[in-house]
Amino acid sequence: MTLVFDVPRGVAFVSGGLSGVQRRSSASVAYWLVARPPGSSKRHFKGGVSSLSLQTEVSRRAVLRTLVLLPVAVAMSSQVNAATATGGTATGSGTSLGSEVPVPPLPYPYNALEPVIDAKTMRLHHDKHFVGYVTKVNAALTEEQRKTFPSILTRLSTIPDRTVRETVRNQGGGAINHRVFFEIMRTPVADAQRNTPGGALGDAINRQFGSLAAFQKEFTQAAKTLFGSGWVWLYEVGKSPRRELKIGTFANQDSPLMQGNMPLLGLDVWEHAYYLRYGPDRGAYVDAWWRVVNWPAVEKIFETRQLP
Ligand code: MN
């Protein structure tokens, strides 16, 4: 079905058979519109718009004509989304952005991880890649869903629209993976051997893997051999008193959260994480990375079971 909505300010939004229009609430006249540019299978744009008036049901020819407006609609949709942060609800006039998934600043200067990770890589990684993931997951989620981030990643299957679900999986995974990643690094210690976890986490690693060295060997091996882009995580499975630690590789931006497990320590092995300094030598990056692991931050996640 093809619908054209007339939003306040006279801008036409088009959903010309490109995707669905969902009525989100029977109590309010509120719709979400998802538009996908012709020829694109990946990108999607979403505007939460309240108090829409259904203008007309249009003919195929009119749709073709209206599609010319799509770039305008796409550009406007993000503005409308920002202007009506409560988009899709009956109180769509709100402008609060308080529910946005945040972009925490790096907890250290860009050059703090030198020489293990260079300042330029950190700047691009945080300000471009991370910001990009967060921006895109915010655009994909409703205000109510944003409030549940990152726990919504533990129940992706409840997101009915396949395109939205995939966006939340990829961009939302990127948002939480990087949030944790930046937090669990710090200025390098001179001797990687001396950078060790303590407390309950240190005990748990020894219990699970035999020793810290055995854990690091297995984790390092996983990072060096992961094919393509992805992550290696130390994560926790199960509930007390049967909490167990595991090492796992995750493709793309998948996260242990998506399996209902708690991420603790993650290593980004996407090329954008190391290529400027290390080129194709991922192994050198992985080996050096142990010097910047902020074990106290990992211990805090383990003990509080709270992500940063
Ligand atoms: Mn990354």
Side-chain angles (χ1 to χ4, degrees), residues 105-113 122 181-187:
L106 271 186
Y108 36 73
Y110 293 113
N111 64 0
L113 309 186
M122 290 307 293
F181 181 61
F182 294 135
E183 200 66 33
I184 55 89
M185 295 192 288
R186 63 177 171 185
T187 300

Side-chain angles (χ1 to χ4, degrees), residues 125 178 268 272:
H125 207 169
H178 288 85
D268 187 345
H272 68 226

Side-chain angles (χ1 to χ4, degrees), residues 168-219:
V168 175
R169 176 178 176 178
N170 292 329
Q171 311 298 341
I176 193 60
N177 283 342
H178 288 85
R179 195 198 287 183
V180 177
F181 181 61
F182 294 135
E183 200 66 33
I184 55 89
M185 295 192 288
R186 63 177 171 185
T187 300
V189 295
D191 180 0
Q193 306 286 323
R194 306 189 80 142
N195 193 22
T196 60
L201 177 64
D203 293 343
I205 286 175
N206 286 333
R207 208 164 44 239
Q208 192 78 51
F209 301 98
S211 67
L212 177 65
F215 156 71
Q216 286 181 314
K217 188 176 172 195
E218 186 180 334
F219 189 105

Side-chain angles (χ1 to χ4, degrees), residues 125 129 133 178 231 253 268 270 272-273:
H125 207 169
H129 294 279
Y133 295 124
H178 288 85
W231 291 75
Q253 293 295 347
D268 187 345
W270 281 57
H272 68 226

Side-chain angles (χ1 to χ4, degrees), residues 286-303:
V286 174
D287 289 335
W289 178 76
W290 290 109
R291 289 176 56 205
V292 295
V293 171
N294 183 354
W295 282 112
V298 186
E299 289 165 30
K300 189 173 166 199
I301 299 171
F302 181 72
E303 284 162 21

Side-chain angles (χ1 to χ4, degrees), residues 75-141:
M76 284 300 297
S77 74
S78 59
Q79 291 174 25
V80 171
N81 204 28
T84 60
T86 52
T89 72
T91 55
S93 60
T95 55
S96 165
L97 298 178
S99 68
E100 298 266 300
V101 175
V103 177
L106 271 186
Y108 36 73
Y110 293 113
N111 64 0
L113 309 186
E114 293 268 12
V116 175
I117 304 177
D118 59 285
K120 186 174 181 190
T121 294
M122 290 307 293
R123 185 184 292 276
L124 291 170
H125 207 169
H126 180 277
D127 296 0
K128 299 296 178 191
H129 294 279
F130 178 44
V131 167
Y133 295 124
V134 175
T135 303
K136 286 171 186 160
V137 76
N138 272 320
L141 294 174

